[in-house]
Amino acid sequence: MLEIKELGVSQPGTDAKEIIIAVSPAFGTGLKQSITDVPLEEILKELCAGIEEEGMNYRFVKVYNSTDLGIIASQGSKLAGSGICVALQSRGTTVIHQRDLVPLDNLELFPQSPLITLDMYRTIGKNTAKYGKGESPEPVEILNDYMVPSKFLIKSTLMHFKEGNCANREMAPIDLEVKF
């Protein structure tokens, strides 16, 4: 079972092997499953495993002041010792971001969360770590289904509403202790 404890305001890391896993306001508290009902702890386990397999470390940060994935990723990358962040919305949408990029720019974007498998999350973790090591990995192959937006519109809207209710524009990013 996913347990999340807030530790305090995040500070920039100094360890060049540190990757930030930044999550959205409702992640693991207001929402515990992705848009396809995959437990968020399973997604985190795969991301973490991929990062560890590449010899990098990770730190969890919750970004409360935005529900926008680009902003969450940008803030996370500025806190990472490596300058690299993988950000995750509760519904499962994911992005890999680098510190010197503007929020809407990214290294890799995975916008159709219903199509992301656990194996893909592990590969996303591996690629995030490779970017953190200064490598240029092959991008994770993304799937595309033009029907996904319409199939999940109502659920996505409800999840976004819940994210918004957990957001707080006045809060700085918070370090998290995460137990699986």
Side-chain angles (χ1 to χ4, degrees), residues 45-155:
K45 283 179 187 177
E46 294 303 322
L47 284 174
C48 293
I51 292 168
E52 289 175 337
E53 287 170 7
E54 290 297 322
M56 298 293 276
N57 306 317
Y58 54 84
R59 175 168 51 122
F60 294 102
V61 171
K62 185 176 271 198
V63 176
Y64 278 101
N65 63 8
S66 182
T67 60
D68 182 279
L69 189 59
I71 300 297
I72 293 167
S74 179
Q75 289 183 31
S77 67
K78 288 177 174 75
L79 294 168
S82 68
I84 302 295
C85 169
V86 58
L88 188 62
Q89 287 176 321
S90 298
R91 68 178 169 232
T93 307
T94 307
V95 67
I96 304 172
H97 192 76
Q98 183 174 297
R99 177 183 299 142
D100 60 351
L101 299 175
V102 296
L104 293 179
D105 205 353
N106 58 68
L107 297 171
E108 294 187 54
L109 173 64
F110 310 93
Q112 290 196 346
S113 55
L115 302 178
I116 305 173
T117 65
L118 288 174
D119 287 340
M120 288 174 70
Y121 281 113
R122 190 180 205 108
T123 305
I124 292 167
K126 290 175 78 71
N127 273 16
T128 303
K130 288 177 181 180
Y131 288 116
K133 294 189 292 186
E135 298 176 15
S136 297
E138 283 293 317
V140 178
E141 185 176 338
I142 59 171
L143 305 172
N144 192 13
D145 178 350
Y146 68 93
M147 291 302 295
V148 162
S150 58
K151 287 179 190 174
F152 290 92
L153 180 63
I154 293 171
K155 191 168 185 179

